[in-house]
Amino acid sequence: MGNVYLLNATIALKDSILQEGFIHIKEEKIESIGKMENCPSLTAADRVFDCSEKGYVIPGMIDIHVHGAAGFDFMDGKQEAFEGIARALAKEGTTSFLATTITNPVSHTSDTLKSLGWYKEDSNGPGVAEMIGIHLEGPFINKEQKGAQPESAIIVPNADLFKEWQELSGNTIKVITYAPELDTDFELLTELERTNVIPSMGHTNATYDESIHAIQQGVTHATHLFNGMKGMHHRDPGVVGAVLLQDDVHVEIIPDGIHFHPDLLKLIVKMKGLERILAITDGMRAKGLPDGEYDLGGQQVTSLDGKCTLTSTGSLAGSIVTMNDVRLNLAKWLELSIHDQVQITSMNQANRLGLSNRKGSLESGKDADIVVIGRDGEIELTICRGAVGYERSGAFG
C-alpha cells in the first residue's frame, strides 16, 4: 500500500502505552512510531486512518494451532483453501499462523505438506494473515488419547518419515505434536532437536514419570493443555502435572470456556507465569459459519452453540473461537492488562518461534502487522504486512 498512517492512536508498545501517537507504515514494515507532534508530513500518504475514537492499537495476533476457518481446512490441500483461511483469520485480528494438520494417511499428508510449502514460498503475500510455518499434529500420537484424530491413520513415531515430510514442506514444519512415550530411544526427538523443530506433547497417554523423562530429554511444549493427554491424579500426576511443574515447558491453551474450566487459568498462570502460556484457537472449518455439520479429517463434526464435537462419539473436535474472543476471554477471566493480553496472544508466540525480530510487538523495522481495536473490544482494522487485511464496514468513514 506504500505509505500508510495511523493517527491519534493509543498504541500498546512493548513496555508502555503511547497516547496520541502515530504509526507510519512504509510498504511491509513499520517505518516509525511517535507522538502526533512529531508525525511526518502526510503529503505522500496513500491511506490515513484516524484512530481518535478507537481503543488500543496492538500487534497482530499469532495463532500457532489452527486447522481452518470459513469452510476451509488446511488438509483440503488446495491453494483456494489456504487463501480462504488466511483471509478469514485477518478478520479476527490474526496476522500470522501455523497451518495445522490432522492425522491422515501418509500419502495425503505428504501432498498437503508439499502444497503448504509451495503456498508459503510463492503465494502468501501481504494483505492476508501470513503462514509462518506448519504445526504437524499427528500422526505420531497415542490411540488412547486420539480425541478427534482419525485412529486408522495413527502410526508410531518415525524419524525417517519426518525427515521426508520436512523436506517436502520446504523445511516449513515448526512444531510437531506427538506422543513421546512411543518414541523408541527418542529417535524422533533427536531429529527434531537437530532441525530446531519444537517437540510438543499432545494426544499422549504418558504417565507422569514418562512425561518427566521426555521433558528431561528435550520436550519443551504441550499441545492444548488438559485436552488429549493423561490428566492429573493424586497417584499419577500425569502429563498435566508434569508440564505444569516443569518450568521449561510452554503450554498451549484454548480459552473458549469449553475445553477447560476458566478458573483453571489462574492455576496455569501461577504455575507457568504468563511468559510460558500461548493462547491458541484450535479452530476448524466451521469457524465463522452457522451451526451445522462439517468435516474434520474425514470425520463428521457437529458445530452447535459454540461447541464442536465428533458426531459419532461426542468428543471435542477443535473449536470455532476466534483469537479476538480468546483475548477478550483472557482479559475477563484473568483481569489482564492490555500488555498481558498482547504477551499471551502475540509476543510469546513470536518469541517461541524465533520471530521476535519481526513480529510480536510494535516497533520500527518490524513487520507492519497491526490491529486496531474498537472501544468495545471488536476488531476495527487489521493490517497484514503493510496491507489492509480487514476493515470493519464504516469504522473509518
Side-chain angles (χ1 to χ4, degrees):
M1 287 186 69
N3 287 287
V4 178
Y5 289 84
L6 275 61
L7 305 180
N8 305 307
T10 303
I11 306 168
L13 299 176
K14 195 170 184 179
D15 299 307
S16 63
I17 300 294
L18 176 62
Q19 304 281 356
E20 286 296 309
F22 76 88
I23 299 178
H24 174 200
I25 299 165
K26 188 172 183 179
E27 302 302 334
E28 297 184 23
K29 300 291 183 179
I30 297 174
E31 178 74 7
S32 60
I33 301 176
K35 296 285 289 183
M36 279 301 300
E37 60 202 52
N38 300 316
C39 183
S41 168
L42 303 180
T43 54
D46 296 293
R47 187 78 191 271
V48 175
F49 295 95
D50 182 2
C51 301
S52 58
E53 299 299 320
K54 309 305 178 186
Y56 289 103
V57 177
I58 64 172
M61 291 178 276
I62 303 173
D63 193 350
I64 68 166
H65 190 143
V66 56
H67 296 274
F72 300 107
D73 189 296
F74 290 113
M75 296 305 294
D76 293 344
K78 300 176 182 178
Q79 181 155 319
E80 175 191 9
F82 307 156
E83 292 175 346
I85 296 167
R87 287 194 302 269
L89 293 182
K91 295 178 181 179
E92 60 188 68
T94 297
T95 56
S96 304
F97 63 90
L98 291 183
T100 306
T101 63
I102 188 173
T103 298
N104 256 222
V106 169
S107 60
H108 182 62
T109 299
S110 297
D111 291 343
T112 298
L113 293 174
K114 189 174 183 178
S115 296
L116 283 168
W118 286 342
Y119 173 71
K120 181 179 185 297
E121 183 67 23
D122 299 329
S123 304
N124 187 210
V128 296
E130 180 182 1
M131 178 187 152
I132 50 177
I134 294 169
H135 182 153
L136 186 71
E137 186 176 17
F140 309 132
I141 58 175
N142 196 311
K143 293 180 180 179
E144 296 299 317
Q145 295 286 347
K146 64 181 185 294
Q149 303 278 328
E151 182 173 341
S152 61
I154 294 173
I155 57 178
V156 297
N158 185 322
D160 289 335
L161 180 56
F162 172 77
K163 290 179 189 178
E164 179 184 329
W165 279 346
Q166 184 67 301
E167 184 176 351
L168 279 173
S169 75
N171 296 308
T172 302
I173 300 172
K174 304 301 180 184
V175 179
I176 178 171
T177 292
Y178 82 122
E181 74 275 15
L182 304 180
D183 187 9
T184 303
D185 297 326
F186 292 107
E187 291 180 1
L188 177 56
L189 179 58
T190 300
E191 176 62 19
L192 299 178
E193 291 181 319
R194 187 187 71 80
T195 54
N196 199 32
V197 174
I198 295 171
S200 186
M201 304 177 71
H203 296 285
T204 168
N205 205 40
T207 65
Y208 175 76
D209 290 340
E210 288 172 332
S211 301
I212 291 294
H213 185 46
I215 292 166
Q216 291 171 341
Q217 294 300 310
V219 172
T220 58
H221 198 95
T223 298
H224 42 51
L225 184 64
F226 300 115
N227 297 274
M229 60 182 60
K230 184 172 283 189
M232 187 181 294
H233 187 276
H234 59 284
R235 285 190 291 273
D236 179 5
V239 180
V240 171
V243 301
L244 288 176
L245 287 168
Q246 297 299 303
D247 291 342
D248 292 338
V249 180
H250 295 70
V251 297
E252 297 177 0
I253 59 169
I254 311 171
D256 60 353
I258 294 170
H259 279 79
F260 60 87
H261 193 286
D263 282 353
L264 282 174
L265 283 166
K266 300 170 186 176
L267 172 65
I268 299 169
V269 172
K270 284 184 178 180
M271 298 295 288
K272 305 306 298 181
L274 287 176
E275 66 275 10
R276 287 183 292 276
I277 300 172
L278 301 100
I280 64 168
T281 66
D282 198 14
M284 54 91 66
R285 74 169 76 237
K287 180 160 43 170
L289 298 178
D291 288 349
E293 304 297 319
Y294 297 91
D295 173 83
L296 178 66
Q299 303 171 109
Q300 190 175 53
V301 172
T302 300
S303 175
L304 180 64
D305 297 332
K307 184 177 182 179
C308 298
T309 57
L310 287 181
T311 308
S312 60
T313 67
S315 295
L316 288 175
S319 84
I320 56 170
V321 72
T322 69
M323 278 298 282
N324 196 49
D325 289 335
V326 161
R327 182 187 66 83
L328 291 169
N329 288 343
L330 289 168
K332 176 182 178 181
W333 296 334
L334 290 173
E335 299 181 347
L336 296 183
S337 69
I338 191 65
H339 282 113
D340 290 341
Q341 295 168 39
V342 167
Q343 179 172 7
I344 210 167
T345 59
S346 185
M347 188 181 299
N348 288 349
Q349 287 82 344
N351 290 338
R352 190 77 180 110
L353 296 174
L355 296 174
S356 58
N357 62 321
R358 66 185 187 98
K359 296 186 183 292
S361 60
L362 298 177
E363 299 176 66
S364 298
K366 289 194 173 185
D367 290 353
D369 289 342
I370 300 169
V371 172
V372 178
I373 299 169
R375 290 186 170 173
D376 293 328
E378 71 278 14
I379 303 297
E380 301 257 326
L381 178 71
T382 303
I383 296 176
C384 304
R385 288 168 288 161
V388 173
Y390 170 72
E391 181 180 349
R392 188 175 67 81
S393 179
F396 293 91

